Amino acid sequence: MRIMDVVGESELLKLKGKYIRIAHKDLGSTVEIIGNIIKDKWFDYKTFFEKETDMLREKTERQLEEVYQSRKQYLNKKDCCEELHEMCRNCENYCGWKNHDYEGCRDLACLKIGLVLNTLTG
């Protein structure tokens, strides 16, 4: 949609053959910004997708935090989080069923994956 807006076209199939301008740093550098051939309209897709990725990452982290808080009281119960415990057995931070403190694991991929699995299967 943003590209169509910059080009000045409302239909995707009509984009073919439309002229655009590009902004680049040096000859041979990657094109990251395109612009309307006449109007001062530009689209920096590298920055756009970086922002989208950052927003998605933040949203995912918020959702994982919500899941962590809702599952926190059940994490050390073997029958509630079996998939998580199976993954934890291979982790150097793991101390066993009864005394493992998952607070120190909050940024580890294994806990995040385990929380997602527990949410999907539980």
Side-chain angles (χ1 to χ4, degrees):
M1 289 302 269
R2 296 286 311 264
I3 293 172
M4 291 170 47
D5 183 49
V6 167
V7 175
E9 189 55 65
S10 61
E11 294 182 37
L12 182 63
L13 296 176
K14 291 184 179 179
L15 281 178
K16 185 176 180 180
K18 296 288 182 177
Y19 291 98
I20 60 169
R21 294 185 286 174
I22 62 168
H24 59 88
K25 293 179 182 173
D26 298 319
L27 187 62
S29 66
T30 304
V31 174
E32 297 171 352
I33 303 171
I34 64 167
N36 186 292
I37 192 71
I38 299 170
K39 300 176 184 171
D40 192 23
K41 278 184 151 181
W42 295 91
F43 177 57
D44 180 344
Y45 61 88
K46 180 181 178 190
T47 303
F48 174 79
F49 286 111
E50 284 173 352
K51 288 179 185 175
E52 289 292 313
T53 302
D54 290 344
M55 287 183 348
L56 182 60
R57 185 178 300 114
E58 289 171 13
K59 181 180 177 182
T60 303
E61 289 297 325
R62 279 194 311 273
Q63 290 172 335
L64 282 169
E65 181 61 24
E66 288 175 17
V67 171
Y68 175 77
Q69 292 301 328
S70 70
R71 301 285 196 276
K72 192 175 179 179
Q73 60 185 335
Y74 306 107
L75 290 178
N76 279 317
K77 295 182 181 178
K78 185 176 181 178
D79 59 332
C80 291
C81 301
E82 224 169 295
E83 297 90 358
L84 175 63
H85 294 285
E86 286 300 315
M87 282 195 288
C88 287
R89 287 184 192 192
N90 299 314
C91 181
E92 62 188 36
N93 293 339
Y94 184 65
C95 306
W97 295 115
K98 300 285 185 204
N99 59 356
H100 186 59
D101 179 16
Y102 286 96
E103 190 68 31
C105 299
R106 290 176 75 173
D107 291 330
L108 297 178
C110 53
L111 179 63
K112 293 177 181 181
I113 292 168
L115 289 171
V116 170
L117 281 173
N118 183 257
T119 302
L120 294 174
T121 60

